[in-house]
């Protein structure tokens, strides 16, 4: 959005939790933290010489300090209250969500609606923008949807229509920029707020949207597995990925609106989902890695867990002690080395499954497997020529872990 505003000649001030270094003449960054900046006075100081405020902060699922109450309601309300007292702010644009209305019944929509309603009561010129699903090539939800579309089959949860009306992020940015150029008239109470739905050209079932993304990546027809509603609700309780009971309720409710207001703002038809994919080859690879990498990571974890189980008792301990002795381990230290190694393997397997940042973990595994392989090759050379290849199979294991290391997000 900032690129669109800059291209139209605006000066942009971005409030961020971790502002990057450097800025150009018309782009400035300041520090702000929506998890805790609920004091109106903090925002008043930041709003000096600001004409238009655009609030685009939002989360889909609560995590740690990032709660719906703080990010969607409390801090935005403090910001809006400061805007009402500011001498410079002329317009507020609140990016809410389609569905944040009187029928809202999930914490996500209700928290958005609370801030929307608060803004609507203030003596401010304001637009409350309510987009449907927003597609951005690097957006979190778009990455998940492309991953789902690239899998061997998709799952349809329940029998409801599950209508969505996806809109491209560039169209959202252009629509918001158009609103900046269209200040609202002042109402009798000194202010006015208008709700604006931003949607794509047509509503379609969610599975059809995935099919369009799949076709855009050059992957052919989407196979859909239909699950009964009761089973869908049971699976949603597992909270896998973006799916949870609230997400399922929002999906079953639908997410669509009249596209005419969006077209008027853009002075053209909004971009169709069939044209969302700009680089099919690159996006196909990235989408497939979205589910193939977790499969690879779980496979590596299972190898460590299985090795721990075998070392701890399934394989005869006496034979393990003999192998350790041949590598130079004194007999009195053999039990400690055997069960210590089994414990380490267990920890590595659990770390593969539970750690969120794993770059150091992959390096540790590469070093450990490399060390084991060299020692065994020197001290127990018969394993090099074993018909089952217990040592040579470390080569693809090392390659897999190196791939996980290279593709791990920094």
């Amino acid at each position: 959005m900032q690129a669109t505003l800059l291209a139209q000649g605006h000066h942009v001030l971005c409030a961020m939790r971790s502002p990057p270094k450097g800025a150009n003449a018309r782009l400035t960054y300041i520090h702000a933290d929506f998890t805790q900046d609920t004091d109106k006075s903090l925002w008043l100081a930041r709003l000096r010489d600001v004409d238009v405020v655009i609030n685009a902060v939002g989360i889909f699922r609560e995590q740690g300090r990032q709660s719906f109450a703080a990010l969607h309601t409390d801090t935005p309300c403090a910001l809006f209250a400061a805007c009402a007292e500011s001498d410079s702010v002329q317009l507020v644009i609140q990016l809410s969500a389609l569905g944040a209305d009187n029928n809202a019944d999930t914490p996500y929509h209700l928290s958005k609606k609370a801030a929307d309603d608060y803004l609507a009561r203030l003596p401010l010129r304001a637009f409350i923008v309510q987009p449907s699903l927003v597609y951005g090539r690097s957006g979190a939800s778009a990455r998940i949807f492309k991953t789902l579309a690239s899998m061997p089959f998709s799952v349809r949860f329940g029998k409801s229509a599950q209508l969505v009306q996806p809109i491209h992020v560039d169209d959202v940015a252009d629509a918001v920029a158009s609103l900046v150029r269209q200040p609202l008239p002042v109402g009798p109470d000194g202010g006015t707020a208008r709700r604006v739905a931003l949607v794509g050209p047509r509503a379609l079932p969610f599975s059809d949207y995935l099919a369009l993304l799949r076709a855009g990546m050059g992957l052919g027809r989407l196979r859909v597995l239909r699950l009964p509603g009761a089973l869908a609700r049971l699976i949603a309780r597992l909270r896998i990925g973006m799916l949870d009971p609230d997400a399922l309720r929002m999906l079953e409710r639908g997410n669509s609106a009249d596209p005419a207001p969006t077209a008027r703002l853009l002075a053209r038809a909004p971009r169709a989902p069939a044209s969302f994919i700009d680089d099919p080859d690159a996006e196909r690879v990235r989408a497939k890695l979205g589910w193939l990498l977790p499969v690879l990571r779980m496979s590596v974890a299972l190898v460590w867990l299985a090795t721990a189980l075998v070392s701890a008792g399934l394989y005869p301990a006496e034979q393990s002690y003999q192998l350790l002795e041949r590598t130079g381990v004194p007999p009195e230290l053999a039990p400690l080395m055997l069960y210590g190694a089994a414990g380490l393997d267990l920890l590595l397997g659990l770390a593969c499954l539970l750690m969120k940042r794993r770059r150091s973990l992959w390096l540790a595994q590469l070093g450990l497997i490399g060390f084991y392989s060299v020692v065994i090759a020197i001290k127990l050379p018969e394993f090099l020529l074993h018909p089952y290849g217990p040592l040579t199979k470390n080569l693809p294991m090392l390659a897999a872990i190196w791939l996980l290391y290279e593709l791990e997000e920094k």
Side-chain angles (χ1 to χ4, degrees):
M1 188 177 299
Q2 69 182 33
T4 301
L5 295 171
L6 289 171
Q8 296 186 4
H10 298 285
H11 292 258
V12 179
L13 175 67
C14 290
M16 303 176 65
R17 195 167 41 171
S18 301
K21 295 180 179 179
N24 63 37
R26 292 190 292 110
L27 176 60
T28 309
Y29 296 95
I30 61 170
H31 170 77
D33 188 346
F34 263 60
T35 65
Q36 61 183 21
D37 290 357
T38 57
D39 187 340
K40 177 179 63 176
S41 62
L42 288 174
W43 292 105
L44 266 173
R46 295 164 179 162
L47 293 175
R48 189 175 297 111
D49 298 326
V50 172
D51 302 306
V52 178
V53 170
I54 303 172
N55 176 38
V57 174
I59 54 173
F60 187 74
R61 178 176 287 175
E62 295 179 308
Q63 183 177 7
R65 295 171 57 205
Q66 296 186 357
S67 67
F68 291 139
L71 273 68
H72 289 177
T73 306
D74 297 343
T75 302
C77 288
L79 169 62
F80 301 152
C83 291
E85 294 187 15
S86 169
D87 295 329
S88 61
V89 175
Q90 302 174 29
L91 176 67
V92 175
I93 299 177
Q94 153 80 338
L95 265 73
S96 182
L98 199 60
D101 52 32
N102 291 332
N103 294 319
D105 65 351
T106 62
Y108 172 82
H109 277 149
L110 290 169
S111 60
K112 285 283 190 180
K113 181 180 183 299
D116 297 350
D117 292 346
Y118 180 82
L119 175 60
R121 293 192 296 268
L122 293 175
L124 282 168
R125 296 180 175 91
F127 286 106
I128 298 168
V129 178
Q130 298 179 314
S132 181
L133 295 181
V134 178
Y135 175 90
R137 177 174 178 176
S138 299
S141 62
R143 289 202 306 269
I144 291 174
F145 296 153
K146 285 183 288 188
T147 294
L148 293 175
S150 72
M151 297 178 74
F153 63 89
S154 178
V155 177
R156 174 74 178 268
F157 296 98
K159 296 182 179 180
S160 63
Q162 299 177 353
L163 295 179
V164 294
Q165 205 160 340
I167 183 170
H168 198 280
V169 67
D170 291 345
D171 286 344
V172 174
D174 288 344
V176 170
S178 178
L179 292 174
V180 171
R181 299 191 301 269
Q182 299 180 27
L184 295 169
V186 179
D189 59 351
T192 183
R194 183 188 304 167
R195 286 173 168 81
V196 181
L198 291 184
V199 294
R202 66 183 181 92
L204 69 164
F206 181 68
S207 57
D208 288 0
Y209 176 43
L210 295 183
L212 288 174
L213 293 177
R214 183 177 178 87
M217 293 184 287
L219 289 172
R221 186 174 66 88
L222 179 71
R223 298 177 179 85
V224 180
L225 174 63
R226 301 178 183 273
L227 296 181
L231 181 57
R233 289 187 288 275
L234 178 62
I235 294 175
R237 293 177 185 174
L238 300 177
R239 298 179 175 270
I240 301 173
M242 292 181 66
L243 181 65
D244 60 25
D246 289 346
L248 183 59
R249 288 212 308 277
M250 288 189 285
L251 185 62
E252 289 178 336
R253 177 187 171 186
N255 200 260
S256 59
D258 181 5
T262 303
R264 285 195 295 270
L265 279 175
L266 298 174
R268 57 174 172 79
R271 188 170 170 178
S275 67
F276 281 177
I277 306 295
D278 295 318
D279 189 345
D281 292 338
E283 296 191 50
R284 179 172 63 249
V285 170
R286 185 171 185 179
K288 286 194 171 186
L289 287 176
W291 60 273
L292 288 172
L293 286 179
V295 170
L296 182 59
R297 177 166 56 86
M298 286 187 286
S299 299
V300 171
L302 287 176
V303 170
W304 288 112
L305 295 175
T307 303
L309 186 62
V310 170
S311 300
L314 293 183
Y315 190 80
E318 289 302 322
Q319 295 184 37
S320 295
Y321 294 154
Q322 292 172 13
L323 292 175
L324 287 171
E325 186 175 352
R326 289 180 58 194
T327 62
V329 176
E332 60 272 17
L333 293 180
L336 177 63
M337 292 295 294
L338 175 61
Y339 295 108
L344 178 59
D345 292 344
L346 176 64
L347 289 176
L348 289 173
L350 293 175
C352 289
L353 298 175
L354 302 177
M355 285 182 65
K356 294 183 178 180
R357 297 187 179 185
R358 295 175 289 265
R359 286 178 63 84
S360 59
L361 175 65
W362 302 134
L363 286 178
Q365 293 182 16
L366 288 170
L368 184 60
I369 295 174
F371 172 74
Y372 282 167
S373 299
V374 171
V375 171
I376 294 173
I378 295 173
K379 299 293 186 177
L380 305 170
E382 66 270 21
F383 286 106
L384 284 171
L385 302 177
H386 196 284
Y388 291 162
L391 194 58
T392 53
K393 286 177 181 175
N394 281 349
L395 294 176
M397 183 75 168
L398 288 168
I401 295 173
W402 183 255
L403 176 66
L404 289 168
Y405 170 77
E406 289 291 339
L407 296 180
E408 185 80 22
E409 291 188 5
K410 296 183 180 180

